[in-house]
Amino acid sequence: MQKLNWNVKLRQPSIKDLDDLLRWENDILKIDHTDMPVFYTKDQMIIYLNSNQDPFIDGQVRYMINLDDMSIGYIDLYNFDIVHSRAGVGIFIDKKFRKKGIAYKALKTLIEISNKELHLNQLFAEVFQSNKAAISLFEHAGFILSGLKKQWIRKQEAYEDLLFFQLMNT
């Protein structure tokens, strides 16, 4: 993996991200890495971008990943559980910027936010067994493989296992 000294920052999404988010969310190739493919209309995305994003109310929060002043992906906390102090992590990097260490920097920043600002006890990630890049990313960031969901994801006529990773913030 080529690692460069990228200036990676996370920020809240805004209306200026509309075109990028629509392109990324509606990319049919993303179906290989998600168990819930959802396609959004422009109107749905505008409503989302104009809403307040509060993980304590909505159960999720998205951060845009910026490289200098350019959005190159997003990272999410989902299934935000205030009672049990945990959340799932999902990440997407535009294909032009993959394998450059950017996802790792974004994930480390999110870990810091989840610990210092959101006071979460743990983060988790559910990764398709075939997604070697995501497995490597989460392991490199300190996540530990703690579970396996056998034949959890249906892919046409076959099934794929889902790996469950955890990171304790305490």
Side-chain angles (χ1 to χ4, degrees):
M1 176 181 350
Q2 178 188 10
K3 293 183 181 179
L4 301 171
N5 191 20
W6 298 111
N7 183 19
V8 176
K9 298 212 184 290
L10 302 185
R11 65 168 177 78
Q12 294 292 318
S14 70
I15 200 70
K16 73 178 186 171
D17 299 309
L18 177 63
D19 292 336
D20 286 335
L21 286 172
L22 279 172
R23 185 175 76 252
W24 294 332
E25 287 288 356
N26 295 335
D27 182 352
I28 192 70
L29 296 177
K30 194 177 80 165
I31 221 165
D32 288 337
H33 303 292
T34 183
D35 62 342
M36 278 189 40
V38 178
F39 299 97
Y40 296 95
T41 67
K42 186 174 183 176
D43 289 339
Q44 288 172 315
M45 191 61 69
I46 288 170
I47 290 168
Y48 163 74
L49 289 170
N50 286 326
S51 68
N52 290 333
Q53 292 189 36
D54 185 336
F56 298 99
I57 295 171
D58 302 324
Q60 63 185 22
V61 65
R62 169 165 289 175
Y63 298 95
M64 299 303 295
I65 302 170
N66 265 37
L67 183 59
D68 298 319
D69 289 331
M70 178 176 42
S71 295
I72 55 100
Y74 55 84
I75 190 164
D76 297 331
L77 290 175
Y78 66 93
N79 287 349
F80 192 94
D81 187 332
I82 186 113
V83 172
H84 301 293
S85 189
R86 65 179 175 235
V89 177
I91 187 166
F92 176 87
I93 302 289
D94 188 281
K95 60 186 167 189
K96 296 178 288 198
F97 296 95
R98 293 178 187 162
K99 298 183 181 179
K100 299 181 185 309
I102 297 168
Y104 176 77
K105 285 189 170 194
L107 181 54
K108 292 303 273 187
T109 302
L110 183 72
I111 291 167
E112 188 173 312
I113 290 169
S114 73
N115 194 11
K116 292 181 179 174
E117 295 176 23
L118 301 172
H119 307 289
L120 295 176
N121 175 56
Q122 68 174 284
L123 298 175
F124 66 88
E126 297 175 302
V127 181
F128 289 10
Q129 190 168 22
S130 63
N131 191 343
K132 303 302 183 201
I135 293 168
S136 177
L137 169 66
F138 286 107
E139 288 178 339
H140 185 60
F143 284 68
I144 304 296
L145 178 63
S146 62
L148 170 70
K149 297 178 180 181
K150 298 289 290 173
Q151 297 183 3
W152 198 255
I153 303 299
R154 184 176 182 175
K155 288 190 166 183
Q156 309 254 332
E157 300 302 318
Y159 290 88
E160 183 170 354
D161 295 345
L162 190 71
L163 306 177
F164 189 82
F165 290 89
Q166 289 177 278
L167 176 73
M168 302 302 170
N169 280 334
T170 56

